[in-house]
Amino acid sequence: MQRFKVGELVVDAGTPILMEGSNSPQLFTALHGMGLRYKLLADGKRQVVNMIFPGDFIGLQAGVMGEMGHSVEATTKMTLCVFDRSEFWSFFKERPDRAFSLTWLAAIEEHFMGDALTTIGQRTALQAVAWALSRLFIRADALGMVTNGTMKLPYIQQDIADALGLSLVHTNKTLSVLRSRQLAHWTDGTLRVPDLATLAEIAMLDDLSARKRPIM
Amino acid sequence: MQRFKVGELVVDAGTPILMEGSNSPQLFTALHGMGLRYKLLADGKRQVVNMIFPGDFIGLQAGVMGEMGHSVEATTKMTLCVFDRSEFWSFFKERPDRAFSLTWLAAIEEHFMGDALTTIGQRTALQAVAWALSRLFIRADALGMVTNGTMKLPYIQQDIADALGLSLVHTNKTLSVLRSRQLAHWTDGTLRVPDLATLAEIAMLDDLSARKRPIM
DNA sequence: CGGATCATTGAAGTCCCTCAAGTCCTGTGG
DNA sequence: CCACAGGACTTGAGGGACTTCAATGATCCG
């Protein structure tokens, strides 16, 4: 990958990285920090499409379709590995193994979004929040970001609300239910999950293992 | 592609094609007919993830991850082009251009699902139904399946309801609103859209053009 | 100290869901 | 040929999960 790497980029929390509809000349891999993918509607409503963890590839749609379907923003300070979009094609020709990995990543993303769709469409608020926290926790655990059953979760309640299609108020109340049931304590940017099995059961999550991901 | 093509398959309406969690040895491209991608929840709820049109590739997730994230079912009689999953990798090595197309398709799918997520999460029932019908109509138009402002739409109301996370009853009532406003008449498997611009405006759809798609 | 952001809580309202009938159509079998 | 069952669509009524409105407290910062 070094051949295609242009450099590294460090951005502050809150920095926009890619804009929906844009055709960025640069693609990224998140090295440190966390971010947010989201779409904005004409009336100002926001749908959070996904959370970005270290290792995530950013800009696949721009690379292959020439246009992003969502915006990307840093939630914490992030450092990004920068690639040149113009090298994208030669990448496919010269490194079929890496091209395969890229497609794999795209498939994982599609898989996740089908799951998210099911959550928003079919799960209740309690199930949905439990689902979101479970997924985040499992993902973080696979990355070694969990110690003593706790992890850094640097988002605000509005982010989760926008991810689940719920109002901020109801998200808050739902979180407090999970807290009172001793299933998930998320305060001050730290999430503690004492009983993942029960949380996942509420979420109707059938697979507690993290999906294997290729790294770009 | 002929090299990888194993044969053709004709299935009746209602036939399951791929199952969630399965690792099918075969991948498909839809040649004729229409289908449905969906996920089932433990409590029996169903989320329709996408509608399948002629030209759609089926089984990418199985091809690359070894496991489908959703089930696929034929809604009408379908004829499928069958590929061998075991050839998938050599495909990437020998035909980087086609591999690129495949990734492109995956990106399009991801793009669509982000849009769908936004619909279910943020749009009202009326906007959501308008969005769904607009998308279907635009997609069909791009495939030449629209004549005189009408197209075949061989789904039932429950399918759309499950796609939008709405109840059947409310979907029905919302459809009748669009009908009374002369914006979309969908009866007997035929959809007529006399005023796409207005329908799309209700849906807060900003792009009336169909996305260019590579064919596998 | 004023302003901004975020979390929290109570109260009122509404969009949508569930329940319940009833119609229409098709296919099936006596 | 008619009775019956099943599936899809339709419509009304009531209830509930969630939204919106509103106010408060906590924390941080220039």
Side-chain angles (χ1 to χ4, degrees), chain A residues 32-49:
Chain A
H32 299 296
M34 301 183 69
L36 222 47
R37 303 179 199 262
Y38 64 92
K39 282 174 73 79
L40 289 178
L41 236 38
D43 62 359
K45 292 203 172 95
R46 181 181 73 149
Q47 175 68 39
V48 168
V49 165

Side-chain angles (χ1 to χ4, degrees), chain A residues 21-153:
Chain A
S22 70
N23 179 6
S24 160
Q26 301 179 329
L27 313 176
F28 311 93
T29 290
L31 297 178
H32 299 296
M34 301 183 69
L36 222 47
R37 303 179 199 262
Y38 64 92
K39 282 174 73 79
L40 289 178
L41 236 38
D43 62 359
K45 292 203 172 95
R46 181 181 73 149
Q47 175 68 39
V48 168
V49 165
N50 206 346
M51 312 303 200
I52 294 180
F53 276 73
D56 280 5
F57 188 77
I58 300 171
L60 174 69
Q61 293 182 13
V64 80
M65 301 190 319
E67 182 183 339
M68 287 301 288
H70 53 255
S71 302
V72 180
E73 188 176 304
T75 302
T76 66
K77 181 177 176 180
M78 293 184 77
T79 105
L80 306 166
C81 178
V82 185
F83 303 106
D84 195 345
R85 183 197 184 301
S86 63
E87 301 283 352
F88 202 69
W89 165 240
S90 63
F91 183 68
F92 263 79
K93 257 194 321 211
E94 297 173 24
R95 296 298 304 271
D97 57 328
R98 311 301 288 157
F100 187 86
S101 290
L102 206 61
T103 309
W104 188 351
L105 279 177
I108 287 176
E109 213 60 39
E110 186 194 333
H111 187 283
F112 170 82
M113 301 206 39
D115 213 356
L117 212 53
T118 306
T119 295
I120 302 186
Q122 310 299 334
R123 283 186 242 252
T124 65
L126 185 68
Q127 294 171 332
V129 173
W131 174 86
L133 296 182
S134 295
R135 292 296 286 236
L136 289 166
F137 192 79
I138 291 170
R139 181 87 204 279
D141 193 26
L143 290 170
M145 298 165 68
V146 171
T147 40
N148 283 348
T150 73
M151 64 175 284
K152 285 275 171 229
L153 193 62

Side-chain angles (χ1 to χ4, degrees), chain B residues 14-212:
Chain B
T15 309
I17 296 173
L18 288 178
M19 291 294 293
E20 176 176 355
S22 71
N23 179 7
S24 159
Q26 302 180 330
L27 313 176
F28 311 94
T29 291
L31 297 178
H32 298 297
M34 301 183 70
L36 222 46
R37 303 179 198 262
Y38 64 91
K39 281 174 75 79
L40 290 178
L41 236 38
D43 62 359
K45 291 203 174 100
R46 181 181 72 150
Q47 176 68 39
V48 168
V49 164
N50 205 345
M51 312 303 200
I52 294 180
F53 276 73
D56 279 6
F57 189 77
I58 300 171
L60 174 68
Q61 294 182 11
V64 79
M65 301 190 318
E67 182 182 340
M68 288 299 290
H70 53 255
S71 303
V72 181
E73 188 175 304
T75 303
T76 66
K77 181 176 177 182
M78 292 184 77
T79 105
L80 307 166
C81 179
V82 185
F83 302 106
D84 194 347
R85 183 195 184 302
S86 62
E87 302 283 353
F88 203 69
W89 165 239
S90 62
F91 183 67
F92 263 79
K93 258 197 318 214
E94 297 173 24
R95 295 298 305 270
D97 57 326
R98 310 302 288 158
F100 187 86
S101 290
L102 206 60
T103 309
W104 186 352
L105 279 177
I108 287 177
E109 214 59 40
E110 186 194 333
H111 187 282
F112 171 82
M113 298 200 48
D115 213 355
L117 211 53
T118 306
T119 294
I120 302 186
Q122 309 300 335
R123 283 187 243 252
T124 65
L126 185 67
Q127 294 171 333
V129 173
W131 174 85
L133 296 182
S134 295
R135 292 295 286 235
L136 289 166
F137 192 79
I138 291 170
R139 180 89 205 278
D141 193 25
L143 290 170
M145 296 165 69
V146 171
T147 40
N148 282 347
T150 72
M151 64 175 284
K152 285 274 171 230
L153 192 62
Y155 302 101
I156 64 177
Q157 294 185 353
Q158 185 73 62
D159 293 332
I160 303 291
D162 286 348
L164 299 175
L166 298 172
S167 71
L168 171 61
V169 173
H170 199 61
T171 302
N172 179 293
K173 288 172 179 169
T174 305
L175 281 167
S176 81
V177 168
L178 289 176
R179 210 176 295 134
S180 70
R181 292 199 196 170
Q182 308 289 326
L183 292 173
H185 299 254
W186 177 32
T187 47
D188 302 320
T190 300
L191 170 65
R192 183 162 53 87
V193 178
D195 185 358
L196 179 59
T198 305
L199 186 65
E201 187 182 334
I202 288 179
M204 292 195 296
L205 207 65
D206 31 49
D207 190 3
L208 288 195
S209 63
R211 186 160 299 283
K212 186 156 165 273

